[in-house]
Amino acid sequence: MTGDREFLRSELLAVAAAVVPGQRPVVTHDPGPINPGVLFDGRGPATVSRVTVQTGNPRSPDPVAEVEAAADALRARGWTADVVPPENGHYRVAAQRDGFDVAVHAWEADWRITFTGETPVVS
């Protein structure tokens, strides 16, 4: 379980660094493994880890280019990545690999790009 979390965290940091070179990506959310079923009945032994990384360049934000670069960087690292059609200035990538899921979000009104991933559920 720890290995999955560390793998996901390192992948998100590496992709974020490739998308916005010259900026240091920051882990903004990593609470560790959680039980996703705990709010339902509290008995489920399954655990999952969710990690969020952010980066960006406030001097030259380009959400379209960043999302395309994120998809390319993920594919180069062995992920299946699809650029989702934009909606109201929101640009996204959905990626999967070996049960891991990643979503990349960028907005026209914000210079940051966010990478959020989830490990496979472990029972």
Side-chain angles (χ1 to χ4, degrees):
M1 176 176 14
T2 301
D4 285 350
R5 178 174 160 231
E6 291 303 317
F7 168 76
L8 177 62
R9 184 182 173 112
S10 67
E11 286 291 294
L12 295 176
L13 286 167
V15 171
V19 170
V20 185
Q23 298 292 324
R24 192 176 119 225
V26 176
V27 175
T28 58
H29 182 78
D30 184 3
I34 60 167
N35 179 336
V38 75
L39 295 178
F40 297 105
D41 64 12
R43 294 179 292 155
T47 59
V48 67
S49 292
R50 293 184 184 114
V51 178
T52 300
V53 170
Q54 287 187 327
T55 191
N57 185 345
R59 291 183 195 99
S60 61
D62 185 350
V64 176
E66 290 171 349
V67 163
E68 290 291 338
D72 290 344
L74 285 160
R75 288 183 197 117
R77 298 180 73 80
W79 293 78
T80 300
D82 297 307
V83 177
V84 178
E87 293 180 3
N88 300 319
H90 181 202
Y91 301 87
R92 296 176 288 154
V93 173
Q96 299 79 35
R97 177 180 173 181
D98 301 326
F100 291 82
D101 292 306
V102 167
V104 180
H105 300 272
W107 296 265
E108 284 180 358
D110 191 353
W111 57 267
R112 288 171 290 214
I113 182 167
T114 303
F115 304 79
T116 300
E118 185 170 289
T119 62
V121 175
V122 177
S123 295

